[in-house]
Amino acid sequence: MVSSDEILKKYSKKLESQIGTEGANYSGEYSRFKQEMIPEITSYEKWAKSLGSLINIKVVERDRTRIQRFLSVAHMDVTASQALTLSVLSMITVFFGTILTAIAIYLITKPSTMGNLVLFTFLGIIASLFLFYYTYTIPERLANAWRLKASSQMVPAILYVVVYMKHTSNLERAIQFASEHLEGYLALDFKKIFYDVEIGKFSTIKDSLEGYLEGWRYYAPEFIESFHLIESSLFEPSESRRVEILEKSLQV
């Protein structure tokens, strides 16, 4: 098994040569980066914002918190109420569309047997319920898919942060460095840490980071522990002890 020391020796020189090349405003790139990387999510956002804003459905607080957590993990700029409204309107549209179509067929053709018409109506109702379930669970499915893809980048993410912190003990700039050099899903997660501060959701980078890590509590506790070790290294007066803690975070 490759040790953390071997990983650091292999990649440190290469990464250290890139330190200092990062820009200063990563949060400003967040929206553009998101649209380019995940168009299927922005499509859902458009439907949820357009149809989901027609009426305001009040969501029970427990469900609202759960749905909003999924939406946040998947980087969807949609409220829980909009997501639920989209599901309800989708179901109602198919349901009443089925009923009206069945009535129209009956009035126009006057079928001698009602069996086929009843079957059509029954299948339409089943389809409306399925559509509700499908749209209602989209946030959860997208959040789970996001976690799965982002988790594969956790080791490189910690490596980038550790290498930067060994060079310069500045957590904010270390996360910026990682967000610039990572690719894909975890890069967007790190950019959102800065974006949430910029829009006023959190007052500091540390608070924003803690809010982000909370989403991994039941899925990747080692990732959270690694970051907490990195944060604790900031308070170590001894340089050797600081480096030791940083390397331990990579081992975790």
Side-chain angles (χ1 to χ4, degrees):
M1 182 177 179
V2 180
S3 68
S4 61
D5 289 339
E6 291 172 323
I7 294 174
L8 281 170
K9 288 178 182 178
K10 183 176 181 180
Y11 294 104
S12 287
K13 288 185 178 180
K14 180 180 177 181
L15 296 181
E16 285 174 359
S17 66
Q18 300 172 358
I19 291 176
T21 62
E22 71 274 9
N25 184 21
Y26 293 105
S27 56
E29 302 174 2
Y30 171 75
S31 298
R32 176 184 59 78
F33 187 45
K34 173 183 159 185
Q35 290 173 356
E36 292 175 354
M37 196 176 78
I38 42 176
E40 70 275 12
I41 288 182
T42 54
S43 297
Y44 175 82
E45 284 182 349
K46 290 177 182 177
W47 281 104
K49 285 183 176 180
S50 57
L51 295 180
S53 299
L54 293 178
I55 57 175
N56 183 25
I57 296 180
K58 187 175 181 180
V59 187
V60 177
E61 182 60 26
R62 183 182 63 181
D63 292 336
R64 188 198 69 78
T65 302
R66 181 177 60 85
I67 295 172
Q68 199 63 55
R69 184 172 66 250
F70 293 142
L71 294 169
S72 178
V73 168
H75 295 261
M76 288 185 281
D77 186 21
V78 175
T79 66
S81 177
Q82 289 174 328
L84 181 60
T85 299
L86 175 62
S87 300
V88 171
L89 289 181
S90 299
M91 178 185 68
I92 290 175
T93 299
V94 174
F95 176 81
F96 281 104
T98 299
I99 299 298
L100 292 175
T101 301
I103 293 174
I105 292 173
Y106 176 78
L107 294 177
I108 293 174
T109 62
K110 299 288 186 180
S112 56
T113 175
M114 295 293 292
N116 291 336
L117 198 58
V118 170
L119 178 61
F120 170 79
T121 303
F122 175 74
L123 291 177
I125 294 173
I126 295 298
S128 68
L129 294 174
F130 172 79
L131 186 59
F132 173 82
Y133 174 80
Y134 178 81
T135 54
Y136 182 78
T137 56
I138 282 178
E140 182 176 3
R141 293 200 307 274
L142 289 176
N144 289 336
W146 188 281
R147 288 192 184 101
L148 182 64
K149 293 175 181 177
S151 63
S152 66
Q153 301 172 314
M154 286 181 173
V155 172
I158 295 297
L159 178 61
Y160 279 121
V161 174
V162 166
V163 168
Y164 194 100
M165 290 285 287
K166 287 181 71 176
H167 178 272
T168 304
S169 187
N170 186 310
L171 181 61
E172 179 177 338
R173 293 187 65 185
I175 297 173
Q176 285 183 340
F177 178 74
S179 72
E180 178 69 14
H181 292 87
L182 284 169
E183 296 180 358
Y185 290 77
L186 207 55
L188 190 63
D189 280 355
F190 280 16
K191 289 179 186 293
K192 191 173 187 293
I193 291 173
F194 294 92
Y195 179 78
D196 284 343
V197 174
E198 187 175 89
I199 64 175
K201 184 176 180 180
F202 296 99
S203 57
T204 66
I205 293 296
K206 187 178 185 303
D207 290 342
S208 184
L209 175 62
E210 288 301 318
Y212 166 67
L213 292 176
E214 184 63 29
W216 289 104
R217 182 163 301 281
Y218 301 107
Y219 302 92
E222 299 87 355
F223 187 56
I224 300 175
E225 184 181 351
S226 292
F227 257 107
H228 286 168
L229 283 169
I230 291 170
E231 289 178 324
S232 69
S233 73
L234 294 168
F235 305 101
E236 286 294 333
S238 168
E239 179 67 14
S240 60
R241 176 62 179 161
R242 187 178 74 83
V243 172
E244 181 184 339
I245 291 175
L246 289 172
E247 292 181 353
K248 184 179 179 182
S249 71
L250 186 57
Q251 292 173 354
V252 171

